[in-house]
Amino acid sequence: MIKFKPINREIKKVLIANRGEIATRIIRACKELGIKTVAIYSEADSKSIYVKKADEAYLIPGDPIQAYLNYFRIVDLAKQTKCDAIHPGYGFLSENPEFAEYCLKQGIIFIGPKPEHIALFGDKMAAKKKMRELGVPVLPGSDEPITDINKAKKIADEIGYPVILKAAFGGGGRGMRIVRKESDFEDMFRSAYNEAKKFFGRGDVFIEKYVENPRHIEVQIMADKYGNVVHLGDRDCSIQRRHQKIVEIARSPSLKEEVRKELYRASVKAMFKVGYENVGTIEYLVDENDNFYFIEMNTRLQVEHTVTEMITGIDIVQMMIKIAEGRKLDFLQEDITMRGYAIEFRVNAEDPSKNFAPSVGLITSYHSPGGPGVRVDAAAYKDYVIPPYYDSMIAKLSVWALTWEQVVNRARRALDEFIIRGVPTNLPLLRAIVRDKDFIEGKFTTKYIEEKLPTFNLEDKARDLEDLVAAIAGAIAAYHRI
């Protein structure tokens, strides 16, 4: 990959190569910095909030997914509209090194890490090898992507079961399988390979030792172009469904301080040594004995960045823009204070009682919560039609308080205030989580949802009451027409 000389200049206009709530989030950050914004949208997103909030918005006709993936067309539009920079948000092109490289070739600032770092950490095998070289603990497993089932089986036998298979060139839980015994390996390998090939174009997988009952902890990193690297604390992302996060917490309520400090030290040191720039998140598994292991790095803004902003007071999106301009960090590590706890809940248009089946259609009623310590980042509103083409997340609810007990109480109140009607959502599940004894005590691992879901009552009582009231009103109206 070609190494480009950094483009350092004041950013006056940004094209946002994304959609939904993250596009709105970036627009807000830009407005506060006095920066003009250009939005792109597919026909399916023509009535989205962010389209109206941007200074300019342009329809990308055709396929509703390719609208956000064709970076040649996106960069051409950025040049036509005289944008200085592009912010990729998360998902779509955010971790595509070719996109970042093409931006630089065309004289457009890419608001994110250097292309070579996106490429390095996008290759899970290369990332694992590099982090091992830098002294960061990694799980035992294969050192290169594997397509040969016999070679894969030999490695699994050497590691010892259980093992986990992961797509080497993708993420989000796709192409991931846990193999607990040798007799299941061949079927699981073929299944993982085929799913990875379908979603990422390549079926290569890698194999790691599987850690039972781990916590999923990540460290937020920020670095400028002058070698200054800081961390913004940790987040506990253990509560997941199908390997995808639904609840994220800053900071972890169960992590021992000595383990926390070592996680921070190892993360900052590694990023300093590789010369990393802009923001990134290093993800770890922490086992039952408090040993931690690097699993991957996300070279982009995270969905859950909101909780880190709430405990630090640092606007991560604005800092991404400032770093991309060539500015130094506004602070040193000792200037960063982390106060209290924050929890983010991903509000998804899906039905937890039906194996998380995605929901599409018209939102007939929408009321978001408010009050002290409550933040909502949303793409939804009353009469918004959820399209079938994109991720199921339609809103993020984030809450903050000084103590763990207070933040759980605030979360419970805010979730009860959140009303979405017309389509099933996971709000009943989120309300059940914040009332669960283990969650209240800060006890959860990546198996939390798997173990707890069968015990939760997922009935939406408010929705049932609304349906009853509508039925009664209809009956009364019919009676008076007789």
Side-chain angles (χ1 to χ4, degrees):
M1 179 164 286
I2 300 170
K3 290 190 177 182
F4 291 88
K5 185 178 179 181
I7 305 173
N8 294 338
R9 65 169 180 261
E10 183 183 2
I11 294 173
K12 297 180 179 179
K13 196 172 186 181
V14 171
L15 183 143
I16 300 160
N18 219 298
R19 62 177 295 278
E21 62 84 18
I22 190 56
T24 299
R25 169 73 186 91
I26 297 166
I27 290 167
R28 287 170 171 162
C30 288
K31 282 184 181 293
E32 291 181 16
L33 292 173
I35 295 172
K36 297 291 185 182
T37 54
V38 173
I40 61 172
Y41 63 96
S42 68
E43 292 176 4
D45 279 330
S46 61
K47 294 185 179 180
S48 292
I49 295 172
Y50 77 94
V51 175
K52 297 177 176 64
K53 289 186 177 292
D55 294 294
E56 301 172 36
Y58 296 90
L59 171 67
I60 308 293
D63 185 277
I65 297 175
Q66 285 301 314
Y68 305 100
L69 291 176
N70 187 331
Y71 62 78
F72 298 107
R73 186 161 54 178
I74 290 170
V75 173
D76 284 348
L77 180 60
K79 292 171 70 176
Q80 291 167 20
T81 54
K82 295 181 169 51
C83 288
D84 307 290
I86 292 177
H87 198 305
Y90 49 70
F92 293 121
L93 293 167
S94 62
E95 292 179 285
N96 185 314
E98 288 81 16
F99 174 46
E101 188 175 23
Y102 187 69
C103 287
L104 295 174
K105 280 182 180 178
Q106 298 299 314
I108 299 289
I109 295 171
F110 178 80
I111 301 175
K114 293 183 283 190
E116 57 263 36
H117 287 144
I118 300 174
L120 169 64
F121 291 108
D123 181 337
K124 291 184 173 61
M125 289 289 90
K128 182 178 173 182
K129 182 179 178 182
K130 187 66 176 179
M131 294 299 266
R132 185 192 294 120
E133 291 172 358
L134 296 172
V136 180
V138 299
L139 288 166
S142 56
D143 289 325
E144 59 185 20
I146 299 170
T147 56
D148 183 87
I149 193 168
N150 294 319
K151 184 178 179 180
K153 192 170 185 299
K154 183 180 178 182
I155 293 171
D157 291 340
E158 290 171 356
I159 296 171
Y161 292 90
V163 298
I164 186 167
L165 307 174
K166 297 181 181 179
F169 298 98
R174 302 292 187 183
M176 186 179 290
R177 299 292 186 277
I178 298 164
V179 189
R180 298 190 177 278
K181 53 187 179 180
E182 184 180 0
S183 58
D184 293 337
F185 187 84
E186 291 191 13
D187 287 343
M188 290 285 202
F189 182 87
R190 290 191 182 95
S191 176
Y193 178 90
N194 290 335
E195 186 174 47
K197 188 171 180 63
K198 176 183 176 182
F199 283 94
F200 309 118
R202 294 184 62 174
D204 308 47
V205 301
F206 69 91
I207 307 169
E208 285 180 344
K209 180 67 178 177
Y210 180 65
V211 180
E212 297 281 5
N213 298 313
R215 285 163 288 165
H216 187 146
I217 306 295
E218 59 188 33
V219 178
Q220 176 71 64
I221 291 293
M222 185 174 287
D224 63 23
K225 300 183 180 184
Y226 308 96
N228 300 305
V229 184
V230 298
H231 70 80
L232 301 183
D234 60 89
R235 297 185 287 257
D236 192 319
C237 305
S238 301
I239 300 179
Q240 309 172 3
R241 58 105 174 95
R242 297 175 182 167
H243 306 290
Q244 294 181 325
K245 306 162 189 173
I246 57 171
V247 178
E248 296 104 336
I249 301 158
R251 299 180 298 163
S252 172
S254 63
L255 201 61
K256 292 180 181 177
E257 279 306 307
E258 58 268 28
V259 179
R260 196 189 308 272
K261 289 177 182 177
E262 184 58 21
L263 275 168
Y264 295 167
R265 186 201 65 78
S267 301
V268 170
K269 182 180 178 182
M271 292 304 99
F272 175 78
K273 285 189 172 182
V274 299
Y276 193 79
E277 293 176 10
N278 220 282
V279 305
T281 298
I282 307 176
E283 306 206 2
Y284 300 92
L285 292 182
V286 180
D287 69 17
E288 294 171 314
N289 298 315
D290 290 322
N291 301 304
F292 63 86
Y293 305 95
F294 167 81
I295 50 173
E296 66 178 352
M297 179 165 183
N298 292 304
T299 53
R300 55 171 168 80
L301 183 68
Q302 293 279 92
V303 174
E304 59 271 23
H305 74 280
T306 58
V307 287
T308 297
E309 291 183 330
M310 294 179 91
I311 67 167
T312 63
I314 294 170
D315 188 312
I316 294 175
V317 179
Q318 288 190 9
M319 285 306 305
M320 291 182 75
I321 296 169
K322 290 178 181 180
I323 292 168
E325 287 181 318
R327 298 199 220 176
K328 289 185 177 181
L329 293 180
D330 293 342
F331 38 75
L332 301 173
Q333 188 67 62
E334 53 264 35
D335 299 321
I336 301 169
T337 302
M338 285 166 265
R339 297 178 67 248
Y341 293 89
I343 311 174
E344 179 187 274
F345 301 90
R346 300 193 190 191
V347 180
N348 297 333
E350 60 187 16
D351 192 340
S353 68
K354 295 180 180 177
N355 198 28
F356 296 98
S359 310
V360 297
L362 177 71
I363 293 178
T364 57
S365 181
Y366 180 91
H367 177 77
S368 61
V374 176
R375 167 178 171 175
V376 177
D377 295 63
Y381 55 88
K382 184 181 180 298
D383 296 329
Y384 174 67
V385 178
I386 301 170
Y389 312 107
Y390 310 112
D391 185 85
S392 63
M393 188 178 74
I394 54 174
K396 300 184 311 194
L397 168 64
S398 304
V399 296
W400 173 90
L402 276 174
T403 69
W404 176 248
E405 181 182 6
Q406 288 172 332
V407 80
V408 172
N409 289 340
R410 180 161 289 167
R412 193 179 300 127
R413 183 269 296 172
L415 284 165
D416 286 348
E417 286 183 10
F418 214 145
I419 297 172
I420 300 175
R421 298 281 175 262
V423 296
T425 71
N426 67 338
L427 279 170
L429 171 62
L430 300 177
R431 292 178 187 130
I433 288 171
V434 295
R435 287 170 168 80
D436 177 62
K437 181 176 180 292
D438 286 338
F439 181 83
I440 292 169
E441 294 178 357
K443 298 176 182 176
F444 35 79
T445 71
T446 56
K447 287 191 173 179
Y448 178 86
I449 292 294
E450 179 185 334
E451 293 171 349
K452 294 285 184 176
L453 189 62
T455 71
F456 286 155
N457 181 359
L458 299 179
E459 290 182 12
D460 190 341
K461 294 180 180 178
R463 185 179 180 185
D464 292 343
L465 179 60
E466 187 179 77
D467 290 344
L468 177 61
V469 169
I472 293 172
I476 293 173
Y479 174 81
H480 284 293
R481 284 196 298 268
I482 295 174

